[in-house]
Amino acid sequence: MMQTMTIKSPLDMHLHLRDGDMLRLVAPYSAEEFAGGVIMPNIAPPITTMEALHSYRKRILQACGENLFLPYMTMFLKNYDDAFLEEAAAHVIAMKLYPAGVTTNSEEGAKNIDSLEPQLKAMEALNIPLSIHAETHSHNLFLREQNFLPILEYIAKKFPNLKIIFEHISSKEGLKLVADYENIYATITLHHMTLTVDDLMGEKMNPHLFCKPVVKTEADRDAVLEVALNANPKVMFGSDSAPHSKEAKESALASAGIFSAPALLPKLAEIFEKHGKLENLQKFVSDNARAIYGICPPEKLVLLDKSEYRVPATCKNQKAEVVPLFAGERCSWRVLGVE
Ligand code: DOR
Ligand code: ZN
């Protein structure tokens, strides 16, 4: 008998949709299967004004076409005044903090966290969650997340009513902090649940698997996978799908970012089933996020069945081309339809 499952309103709580031709190419992959997503603000220039926010939101909706998809907008956290934050509160799901220089288009990010304390205080009072790229810009690439933990701890203690979202968590040390602090939650990507540094460069270097935070050891991967499979209520799915053109990836100085949108739900179903945890997938890809953020996403039923799906080898239109995660690979589940 055919094995099927329905997911109610899947949500992607960390998503890069870019702009222009790339936006038009990648948005449908997310919008066809997800009911909504948290849109990262690191386009060029980053989203720092209400005008930019509203017009970016319009371009996203246009690129989503007929699909029912709610973009939950974020802004790039800077030294905004209280009046601005109060106005923004009605239009954003979170403010995103990028330490300066840690990843793509983060040059305008924070040079030191102290300078943002007035904003964090205002956000705490206004109930605006802090979404954070928790990495330092220090020398050991593999320890950048770990080295950032004291800063996160400082923020969590100083602003106990500030909801902190530790984005794309990638290390077992990071997970410990989430467990220790009531006001720290986390998003988990498909790639940090499945890949290690050996996949990235154990044999040949695969730039399509290069991202920040970089994928780590088996112990880290397994720890991240375990909290996801158990749908721990402090964590939720956020793909960090972050497309860069094939050209920018297959170059001497490859950009960081993994485009995972075409593989997400089929691959998640495959993994959860393999570990006998299919019953937790609904929580991981939707219910936990609703509870953490207190949101009520549009109703969308996504039907999956256990039959072969092949992740596209490449995704392109006339103007842009991107290679997805698990390009050309088979997957044992597919999305059958959406209601
Ligand atoms: O690998 C990454 N790519 N990590 C990020 O945090 C940003 C993203 C991007 O925008 O390309
Ligand atoms: Zn990201």
Side-chain angles (χ1 to χ4, degrees):
M1 219 188 61
M2 188 167 73
Q3 199 180 348
T4 63
M5 78 171 299
T6 302
I7 301 182
K8 283 188 227 104
S9 302
L11 296 169
D12 184 343
M13 302 307 285
H14 184 129
L15 179 60
H16 298 266
L17 288 178
R18 312 302 193 206
D19 215 340
D21 294 324
M22 187 62 94
L23 168 64
R24 285 186 283 276
L25 172 64
V26 302
Y29 288 100
S30 296
E32 279 164 15
E33 297 180 1
F34 287 84
V38 173
I39 312 301
M40 289 298 134
N42 64 331
I43 57 173
I47 304 293
T48 56
T49 66
M50 293 313 295
E51 295 71 42
L53 182 95
H54 293 313
S55 87
Y56 185 37
R57 186 171 189 276
K58 265 196 211 144
R59 297 197 295 283
I60 291 170
L61 288 173
Q62 224 160 36
C64 292
E66 302 286 283
N67 300 294
L68 176 66
F69 180 83
L70 186 62
Y72 293 100
M73 304 305 289
T74 63
M75 262 187 177
F76 197 100
L77 184 57
K78 299 196 79 160
N79 294 307
Y80 304 122
D81 62 28
D82 287 5
F84 181 86
L85 286 169
E86 200 173 331
E87 185 191 354
H91 303 277
V92 299
I93 190 166
M95 285 281 168
K96 176 75 188 273
L97 194 165
Y98 287 97
V102 290
T103 190
T104 306
N105 293 338
S106 63
E107 294 74 16
E108 290 188 38
K111 298 220 165 56
N112 70 70
I113 304 295
D114 302 355
S115 67
L116 287 173
E117 287 196 16
Q119 287 72 31
L120 297 178
K121 186 161 183 255
M123 285 162 57
E124 182 183 39
L126 291 162
N127 268 321
I128 305 176
L130 171 70
S131 156
I132 187 160
H133 185 116
E135 282 195 295
T136 58
H137 196 199
S138 58
H139 304 295
N140 189 329
L141 174 66
F142 290 96
L143 295 179
R144 287 179 188 181
E145 184 170 288
Q146 220 173 304
N147 289 342
F148 195 84
L149 299 180
I151 301 175
L152 257 190
E153 215 170 343
Y154 172 82
I155 300 173
K157 275 191 192 145
K158 178 121 194 194
F159 306 101
N161 295 314
L162 178 68
K163 200 167 270 181
I164 301 167
I165 316 293
F166 185 158
E167 300 290 350
H168 39 57
I169 197 163
S170 67
S171 63
K172 45 184 194 336
E173 292 80 8
L175 287 166
K176 184 169 181 308
L177 203 71
V178 175
D180 287 349
Y181 285 84
E182 226 174 276
N183 54 338
I184 305 183
Y185 302 85
T187 55
I188 290 180
T189 73
L190 173 60
H191 47 276
H192 292 107
M193 287 167 66
T194 50
L195 305 177
T196 69
V197 66
D198 285 84
D199 298 299
L200 170 63
M201 53 186 187
E203 287 179 38
K204 289 193 176 172
M205 170 75 178
N206 182 347
H208 299 292
L209 306 182
F210 172 53
C211 64
K212 300 284 182 65
V214 74
V215 292
K216 300 191 167 61
T217 65
E218 268 181 33
D220 293 304
R221 192 261 325 264
D222 292 348
V224 170
L225 177 63
E226 191 193 321
V227 290
L229 289 172
N230 289 330
N232 180 311
K234 299 288 293 292
V235 308
M236 58 195 151
F237 177 64
S239 70
D240 198 16
S241 181
H244 289 273
S245 71
K246 185 169 192 279
E247 208 186 346
K249 278 299 216 176
E250 298 177 3
S251 82
L253 295 172
S255 308
I258 295 180
F259 175 53
S260 54
L264 297 173
L265 291 180
K267 204 69 194 178
L268 285 170
E270 180 184 279
I271 295 165
F272 275 66
E273 191 211 358
K274 185 174 135 206
H275 290 89
K277 297 283 186 179
L278 216 41
E279 77 276 9
N280 285 344
L281 188 55
Q282 175 67 37
K283 288 194 196 107
F284 181 61
V285 296
S286 185
D287 301 353
N288 288 1
R290 293 176 202 229
I292 292 169
Y293 275 107
I295 52 173
C296 192
E299 266 183 46
K300 188 162 174 175
L301 294 180
V302 180
L303 181 67
L304 294 112
D305 77 334
K306 195 175 175 186
S307 46
E308 189 183 299
Y309 166 68
R310 216 182 248 272
V311 179
T314 188
C315 300
K316 59 178 170 179
N317 61 17
Q318 263 89 31
K319 301 268 180 60
E321 179 171 11
V322 206
V323 178
L325 177 61
F326 303 128
E329 289 182 27
R330 281 174 225 277
C331 180
S332 56
W333 284 76
R334 67 170 172 177
V335 173
L336 194 59
V338 173
E339 260 172 52

